[in-house]
Amino acid sequence: MTISEENYIKVIYHLSLVSPKGVNTNAIAGMLDTKASSVTDMLKKLSDKELVSYQKYQGVTLTESGFQSAKMIVRKHRLWEVFLVEKLNFAWDEVHEIAEELEHIKSEALINKLDEFLEFPDFDPHGDPIPNANGEIKKVNKLLLSEAALNTEYKCVGVKDSSSDFLKYLDKQKIALGSKIKVKEKESFDDTLLVEIDSRELTLSNKIANNLYVK
Amino acid sequence: MTISEENYIKVIYHLSLVSPKGVNTNAIAGMLDTKASSVTDMLKKLSDKELVSYQKYQGVTLTESGFQSAKMIVRKHRLWEVFLVEKLNFAWDEVHEIAEELEHIKSEALINKLDEFLEFPDFDPHGDPIPNANGEIKKVNKLLLSEAALNTEYKCVGVKDSSSDFLKYLDKQKIALGSKIKVKEKESFDDTLLVEIDSRELTLSNKIANNLYVK
DNA sequence: ATAAATTTTTAGACAAAACTAAAAATAATA
DNA sequence: TATTATTTTTAGTTTTGTCTAAAAATTTAT
């Protein structure tokens, strides 16, 4: 697989978690910052390689083989992110772009040795699960903070939006993965939350609450 | 710079250490396993970018900018090799191919943090010097074992040939970088050496002695 | 249900990096 | 020096992945 093919497979994987019945050409083009016509071309190629099943105008889904490939790319991406944060002391908002490059390094031995070196982490720095060498993914029943029950203690376990802006906001508010969090009040007008985090009180907008996973 | 351009620059760098007055098209083609005509095409492009100075039929040399770029690629390659051996426990004959890929990862921050994580190593696992962030390279007055004086204690500090075959041979003979070595006899007929390594006696062919650096 | 809007595909073109085959320049040899 | 031999370059293709513009299919709206 070329880097370009890998990028398409990865994007189709992520999009099919949201639209499992078929991913649209335009959606792929949007994610890859390319044109729909380029996507069509690539879908034909991926289809020839039996990585996706594709019928004109009907959207695309991953084949079993494409699905496994996608998970291996995601595995690499997330393991490298752990390495960058845990070993090289990058901040969690700095690692995505670098991991986008590292995820295309070919060696299987490399990624398995890296996994071992990192002591087989289950989650990346943003709380996303890391597929193991067999492609198995640990399921976690997390929910969005916006869906959390009142006066119940939760733990922050992940972010939905992992943009630098959002992550820096969390840093500024000293909200990290692992922080204890309890919703004390919910404003019915705009769903603003009054929360207690590690025994500090904070007001969080609905937008924030919609992008923070708790358990 | 594209990966292909980087590979050309790196090869020209290595070849110009041997032929500093100009590197031949065919020599580059040989190293990159490509055709002379492809090399000519690329030399024009690199010349346009002022990474090399190139006159038709006269061979090619790196410009100052090309030279700095080359050293940064070599720096990345060798730092990744240290990482693979020291941290991921790869054998020294397994790391070259993987580092060939890793050397093209773009981030400056990454390589400097990696350097720090590895505690600023001066040499890679084969004894080759690692340029620092400014492109400066530690000089070492090493010599080939074949040129070593009799009955003088040396230390193995590098290999000239870093093929897997040669490195595995050294492993088998328990010769590693850092091993103490003394030439006790030199057979005048074929230059075979009788050496003492870490208090074991060994017979080494001239070919071996011509590919092992000592100090 | 037909028209309008949107999405997707086709057709044709382009740039990068490789190739082959042939021509031109340089180097080696008689 | 003239002739070979070798090296290097040019000219013309190919492949990969992209693009634009236009056509076709699908979806939405009147």
Side-chain angles (χ1 to χ4, degrees):
Chain A
M1 266 214 265
T2 65
I3 290 178
S4 191
E5 286 170 348
E6 289 192 346
N7 283 330
Y8 274 91
I9 289 295
K10 184 185 56 169
V11 159
I12 295 167
Y13 171 81
H14 288 305
L15 289 172
S16 60
L17 297 180
V18 185
S19 28
K21 51 188 66 165
V23 175
N24 295 332
T25 302
N26 264 356
I28 299 170
M31 293 281 280
L32 286 170
D33 205 33
T34 185
K35 295 294 151 77
S37 56
S38 308
V39 174
T40 303
D41 288 345
M42 183 58 93
L43 292 183
K44 284 179 191 163
K45 191 194 304 187
L46 294 175
S47 185
D48 289 344
K49 294 195 174 185
E50 303 193 44
L51 292 163
V52 302
S53 37
Y54 165 63
Q55 312 253 72
K56 281 195 205 183
Y57 296 100
Q58 301 316 130
V60 70
T61 55
L62 292 173
T63 61
E64 185 55 33
S65 146
F67 187 57
Q68 282 299 324
S69 302
K71 284 191 292 188
M72 284 306 122
I73 300 164
V74 168
R75 166 171 164 80
K76 290 193 220 173
H77 183 102
R78 292 180 180 166
L79 281 173
W80 280 117
E81 285 196 342
V82 173
F83 170 71
L84 294 172
V85 168
E86 300 281 308
K87 303 295 182 181
L88 298 196
N89 292 115
F90 276 96
W92 65 341
D93 65 299
E94 299 175 317
V95 298
H96 184 77
E97 285 69 28
I98 301 175
E100 287 283 298
E101 288 192 65
L102 286 164
E103 74 190 1
H104 300 295
I105 303 293
K106 292 277 170 313
S107 168
E108 187 94 359
L110 171 61
I111 208 65
N112 291 332
K113 292 227 182 205
L114 180 65
D115 198 10
E116 187 183 351
F117 179 58
L118 299 172
E119 299 176 88
F120 306 105
D122 288 323
F123 302 98
D124 80 7
H126 312 107
D128 294 314
I130 300 174
N132 69 16
N134 298 316
E136 294 150 1
I137 297 175
K138 274 245 168 69
K139 262 271 168 51
V140 169
N141 26 18
K142 62 192 178 188
L143 62 162
L144 288 171
L145 179 61
S146 54
E147 299 158 338
L150 282 177
N151 295 307
T152 311
E153 177 137 305
Y154 290 94
K155 198 167 64 171
C156 298
V157 296
V159 292
K160 187 168 158 199
D161 170 9
S162 51
S163 70
S164 186
D165 276 356
F166 182 53
L167 299 178
K168 279 184 167 145
Y169 170 85
L170 294 178
D171 284 343
K172 198 171 65 182
Q173 302 291 358
K174 297 224 190 334
I175 303 171
L177 300 197
S179 297
K180 301 244 182 286
I181 190 164
K182 185 193 285 183
V183 179
K184 308 197 77 169
E185 274 177 47
K186 184 172 204 162
E187 181 58 58
S188 63
F189 176 64
D190 62 357
D191 291 337
T192 291
L193 302 181
L194 178 68
V195 301
E196 188 180 295
I197 295 192
D198 296 333
S199 62
R200 278 157 24 242
E201 281 208 343
L202 268 176
T203 306
L204 299 179
S205 76
N206 180 246
K207 185 169 178 190
I208 302 299
N210 261 318
N211 282 296
L212 188 58
Y213 287 117
V214 298
K215 198 177 81 167
Chain B
M1 265 214 263
T2 65
I3 290 178
S4 190
E5 286 170 347
E6 288 193 345
N7 282 330
Y8 274 90
I9 289 294
K10 184 184 56 168
V11 159
I12 295 167
Y13 171 80
H14 288 306
L15 289 172
S16 59
L17 297 180
V18 185
S19 29
K21 53 187 66 166
V23 175
N24 294 331
T25 302
N26 264 355
I28 299 169
M31 293 281 281
L32 286 171
D33 206 33
T34 184
K35 295 294 152 73
S37 56
S38 308
V39 175
T40 302
D41 287 346
M42 183 57 93
L43 292 183
K44 284 178 191 164
K45 192 195 302 188
L46 295 175
S47 184
D48 288 346
K49 295 194 173 187
E50 302 193 44
L51 291 163
V52 303
S53 37
Y54 164 63
Q55 311 254 72
K56 279 195 204 181
Y57 297 101
Q58 301 315 130
V60 70
T61 54
L62 292 173
T63 61
E64 186 54 34
S65 146
F67 186 58
Q68 281 300 323
S69 303
K71 284 190 292 187
M72 284 306 121
I73 300 164
V74 168
R75 168 172 163 80
K76 292 192 219 172
H77 183 103
R78 293 180 179 166
L79 281 173
W80 280 117
E81 285 196 342
V82 173
F83 170 72
L84 294 171
V85 167
E86 301 280 309
K87 302 295 182 180
L88 298 197
N89 291 115
F90 277 96
W92 65 341
D93 64 298
E94 299 174 317
V95 297
H96 184 77
E97 285 70 28
I98 301 175
E100 288 283 298
E101 288 192 67
L102 287 164
E103 74 189 4
H104 300 295
I105 303 294
K106 292 276 168 315
S107 169
E108 188 94 359
L110 170 61
I111 208 65
N112 291 332
K113 291 228 185 206
L114 180 65
D115 198 10
E116 187 184 352
F117 179 59
L118 299 172
E119 299 174 90
F120 305 105
D122 288 323
F123 302 98
D124 80 7
H126 312 107
D128 294 314
I130 300 174
N132 70 15
N134 298 316
E136 293 149 359
I137 298 175
K138 274 248 168 65
K139 261 271 166 54
V140 170
N141 26 19
K142 62 193 177 187
L143 62 162
L144 288 170
L145 179 62
S146 54
E147 300 158 337
L150 282 177
N151 295 307
T152 310
E153 178 136 305
Y154 291 94
K155 198 167 65 171
C156 298
V157 296
V159 293
K160 188 169 156 197
D161 171 9
S162 52
S163 71
S164 187
D165 276 357
F166 182 52
L167 299 177
K168 278 183 167 144
Y169 170 85
L170 295 178
D171 284 344
K172 198 171 68 184
Q173 301 291 358
K174 298 223 192 334
I175 302 171
L177 300 198
S179 298
K180 300 246 181 285
I181 191 165
K182 186 194 284 182
V183 179
K184 307 197 77 171
E185 271 178 50
K186 183 172 207 163
E187 183 57 59
S188 63
F189 176 64
D190 62 356
D191 291 336
T192 291
L193 303 182
L194 178 67
V195 302
E196 189 180 295
I197 296 192
D198 295 333
S199 64
R200 279 155 26 241
E201 281 208 345
L202 268 175
T203 304
L204 299 179
S205 77
N206 180 246
K207 186 169 177 188
I208 302 298
N210 261 318
N211 282 296
L212 189 58
Y213 287 116
V214 298
K215 197 176 82 166

